[in-house]
Amino acid sequence: MNSANTAAAERAEADTVSYSLIDRIAWVKFNRPEKRNCMSPKLNRQMSRVLDELEHSPDVGVLVLTGEGTAWSAGMDLKEYFREVEQQGLGAIRAAQRESYGWWRRLRWYQKPTIAMVNGWCFGGGYGPLFACDLAFAAHEAQFGLSEINWGILPGGGATKVARELLSFRRAMYHSLMGENIDGRTAAEWGLVNEALPLEKLKDRVEEVARTLLKKNPVALKATKDAIRRVGEMTYDNAEDFLVRAQEAANFYDNEGRKQGIKQFIDDKAYKPGLAAYDKSAHGRKDE
Ligand code: ACO
């Protein structure tokens, strides 16, 4: 093993995820580029810590999840997550599953809006955090694959569910059975991501979207993102009832925002809700 490989093998747990905070946008990175950012138990634990740290910070309005190097994430770590954990028995397997599924679930219901910025490879287990992010933007150059079939398992850890949630039946079936990759453009056409752009334009576009989200009422953002996920499994009548109650619950945290929103349009004629967001600083609301 050369020295670079030794350093890679010894990457400290705390170093498997990195982040920077710029103007209330948290840029969180899978940080194992030498292993194509595949998810090891260490990375999963560190990601949980980072998500904990950022979730309720007033310094964070939007979280972007991206990858260092050429990968977004090459899925689960076949050596450290599968082979080495399996050698320790069922208890260890379940613990490792709790750690990975745990942070994806956490991200699905995160307090702040989240954006997946898919800069490169995205495989298998990577579909968990991909779906967990509210929005997703990919480089044209990115490659998406349910490669499980290529090494002899089914797409577990939620990946099959993600395929059925985001793709048509035929596409989900083809994608899972064939083990062929699709690029960013096709991922956008199929609905795995919102948009695909050339890699050099990806960050600017994601930042533009994040800045737009930062202008919206954060209580309304959280209520809306949760509602979009929840109503998918409800009948129409249940959804109608849930949404009435969800808005009333949101009013508990912020009863002034929507009144300001109406006032600034109807009385002040300061903005048009059909074209932009109201000025939330007028009721002292800048963060969550
Ligand atoms: N698990 C463990 N190690 C991995 C993984 C992974 N998922 N992906 C990459 N690596 C390691 C490689 O073993 C290699 O390690 P080494 O330097 O110690 O030899 C290093 O990362 C770099 O990988 P390369 O294969 O050399 O990188 P390359 O850029 O040529 O290829 C690619 C990238 C296509 C992503 C390739 O690494 C690959 O096929 N990875 C596996 C993708 C996959 O099928 N993931 C599992 C999905 S299924 C699931 O998540 C349940």
Side-chain angles (χ1 to χ4, degrees):
M1 189 183 268
N2 64 31
S3 59
N5 280 345
T6 309
E10 290 169 3
R11 183 179 283 275
E13 187 162 314
D15 197 25
T16 55
V17 176
S18 65
Y19 73 84
S20 57
L21 263 177
I22 304 165
D23 297 338
R24 302 194 67 238
I25 304 172
W27 299 89
V28 178
K29 281 187 172 178
F30 294 105
N31 191 37
R32 298 180 76 209
E34 68 285 349
K35 297 288 181 187
R36 306 301 178 261
N37 298 325
C38 65
M39 290 175 271
S40 60
K42 282 182 186 172
L43 182 145
N44 291 328
R45 286 193 288 273
Q46 186 57 22
M47 192 63 89
S48 285
R49 284 186 203 106
V50 167
L51 294 181
D52 274 349
E53 196 176 320
L54 299 174
E55 185 163 19
H56 293 284
S57 165
D59 298 333
V60 177
V62 174
L63 184 143
V64 178
L65 181 59
T66 189
E68 184 64 45
T70 57
W72 193 69
S73 172
M76 307 320 291
D77 188 319
L78 269 52
K79 177 170 167 284
E80 293 183 34
Y81 180 86
F82 285 108
R83 194 166 64 190
E84 291 176 3
V85 167
E86 280 164 16
Q87 283 162 359
Q88 297 165 47
L90 186 60
I93 293 170
R94 293 288 181 261
Q97 288 167 337
R98 278 197 300 276
E99 286 168 352
S100 54
Y101 302 171
W103 77 261
W104 305 341
R105 185 179 308 118
R106 182 80 190 283
L107 199 56
R108 286 201 298 281
W109 304 104
Y110 211 60
Q111 182 69 31
K112 313 293 169 63
T114 54
I115 306 174
M117 183 169 93
V118 185
N119 51 301
W121 305 109
C122 177
F123 284 110
Y127 282 38
L130 178 70
F131 178 64
C133 289
D134 303 320
L135 300 171
F137 295 80
H140 285 159
E141 296 86 342
Q143 291 283 323
F144 296 78
L146 289 179
S147 55
E148 285 88 339
I149 200 72
N150 292 341
W151 63 278
I153 69 164
L154 63 75
T160 297
K161 176 68 174 161
V162 175
R164 280 308 310 272
E165 286 287 325
L166 297 182
L167 307 178
S168 70
F169 174 85
R170 289 290 174 213
R171 282 176 174 161
M173 197 64 95
Y174 187 93
H175 198 51
S176 314
L177 290 178
M178 296 293 282
E180 290 173 4
N181 298 336
I182 56 172
D183 65 11
R185 274 182 221 271
T186 307
E189 190 191 320
W190 284 17
L192 262 185
V193 299
N194 293 90
E195 279 175 39
L197 304 95
L199 182 59
E200 71 271 14
K201 299 206 167 126
L202 182 63
K203 185 156 190 264
D204 284 352
R205 174 66 179 133
V206 168
E207 190 171 335
E208 180 184 53
V209 171
R211 287 189 184 286
T212 301
L213 292 170
L214 287 174
K215 294 194 182 111
K216 315 288 185 197
N217 180 312
V219 173
L221 284 172
K222 170 67 172 153
T224 302
K225 59 181 258 174
D226 286 3
I228 291 286
R229 287 188 191 270
R230 296 266 182 225
V231 299
E233 292 176 359
M234 293 180 193
T235 62
Y236 195 99
D237 281 353
N238 284 344
E240 217 174 50
D241 187 55
F242 165 78
L243 293 168
V244 167
R245 289 162 206 289
Q247 181 55 52
E248 288 170 358
N251 294 346
F252 175 80
Y253 289 102
D254 179 6
N255 206 17
E256 286 310 307
R258 67 208 165 86
K259 291 182 187 164
Q260 268 296 328
I262 294 173
K263 174 180 174 291
Q264 288 178 24
F265 176 49
I266 299 294
D267 303 333
D268 306 344
K269 305 210 176 296
Y271 84 115
K272 293 178 194 289
L275 303 178
Y278 79 96
D279 176 9
K280 64 188 161 124
S281 68
H283 61 113
R285 180 163 280 286
K286 295 191 191 68
D287 44 51
E288 63 173 335

